[in-house]
Amino acid sequence: MTRLRLDPAQEQLLYSTVLGGGSNEAAFALALTSGGGVWLTGYTWSADFPTTPGAFNRSHSGRLADGFLALLKPEAGPESQSQLVYSTFFGGLEWESGTALAVRDDGLVTIGGWTWSRNFPTAGPALKTNLNEGDADAFLFTIDPQPELRPPEQLLYSTFFGGDSYEEVDGLALAQNGRLVATGLTASSAFSNWLGPASNGTLDAHLSSWDLRYPQASFSATLLGNYIVQFD
């Protein structure tokens, strides 16, 4: 996994780094902070993936790949280097990945993605606490990445969500009213839906709105076709 920073005026490479361990990693989403930091999420197969003291989970949890969440702050200059501010594993015994990120002004980070792990950690008033039998579920996972907090206290909310087949989250956006909007794909015929038929093809898009103060889905729908909704 490589991250680059370019100067568009001079077309110069200002910053580049890799993040990972002795096996395979992939990053699927990033979010920028007002202080110049970069949040990344994805998956890692590496038990030696770098983590930081006080992080939520410093041990690889599964037989397969775990999700990861990392915050880097590039240090610009002649000897550019990256400061790994926060880094943690998350997940269960099987394969999961973060594929979407949303960062609030108060520093809370929500990850969306998919998991095959029955023991994926849930917390708070979770909408769904059990994985689909034989298939992957989407998840939402909100963490307060303060190393001053005990690791169990950093996990504020986590839930599976979806129907009777495969789901994933591919995009997250924060609305002006503070709600979280999630989108992705579903293969379920029984996806949580209040607008009518749940499935119209092999794969459908899904759309849901979540109140982060009371983390439950306040709106959910599947959309016609094999397309994912994009939010600007």
Side-chain angles (χ1 to χ4, degrees):
M1 179 177 64
T2 303
R3 186 162 60 88
L4 307 175
R5 193 173 70 177
L6 301 173
D7 183 341
Q10 301 182 20
E11 297 183 353
Q12 293 180 349
L13 177 64
L14 300 182
Y15 177 78
S16 176
T17 189
V18 295
L19 176 65
S23 190
N24 297 327
E25 284 80 29
F28 296 104
L30 62 82
L32 305 179
T33 72
S34 58
V38 182
W39 284 104
L40 297 171
T41 191
Y43 67 76
T44 176
W45 290 79
S46 301
D48 60 347
F49 187 89
T51 60
T52 52
F56 168 68
N57 182 7
R58 303 196 69 188
S59 299
H60 196 279
S61 301
R63 298 184 294 265
L64 302 174
D66 267 0
F68 74 84
L69 174 69
L71 173 62
L72 298 95
K73 284 193 175 180
E75 300 291 334
E79 298 181 357
S80 296
Q81 58 182 345
S82 174
Q83 180 184 3
L84 186 61
V85 178
Y86 183 89
S87 181
T88 186
F89 297 103
F90 64 87
L93 291 175
E94 302 300 331
W95 193 352
E96 45 270 319
S97 179
T99 50
L101 272 177
V103 181
R104 286 171 36 171
D105 291 340
D106 59 7
L108 301 186
V109 181
T110 298
I111 310 161
W114 48 264
T115 179
W116 294 84
S117 297
R118 287 190 178 93
N119 66 331
F120 189 91
T122 59
L127 185 70
K128 183 181 179 186
T129 58
N130 296 315
L131 181 74
N132 287 327
E133 288 297 327
D135 224 329
D137 259 350
F139 68 80
L140 291 177
F141 186 89
T142 298
I143 196 166
D144 187 350
Q146 296 186 52
E148 296 81 8
L149 295 175
R150 293 175 55 248
E153 296 172 349
Q154 294 179 21
L155 181 58
L156 303 182
Y157 180 73
S158 180
T159 187
F160 299 101
F161 78 95
D164 54 2
S165 187
Y166 181 87
E167 277 86 25
E168 64 184 47
V169 174
D170 294 304
L172 293 175
L174 289 170
Q176 290 183 349
N177 61 7
R179 289 187 175 180
L180 180 76
V181 181
T183 188
L185 63 85
T186 176
S188 294
S189 60
F191 188 83
S192 300
N193 182 32
W194 292 287
L195 291 184
S199 181
N200 299 282
T202 304
L203 293 174
D204 286 330
H206 67 74
L207 174 70
S208 59
S209 175
W210 303 71
D211 189 334
L212 295 182
R213 297 169 301 169
Y214 309 99
Q216 299 177 16
S218 55
F219 168 84
S220 180
T222 50
L223 308 176
L224 296 175
N226 300 323
Y227 301 96
I228 296 174
V229 178
Q230 299 293 327
F231 291 90
D232 296 324

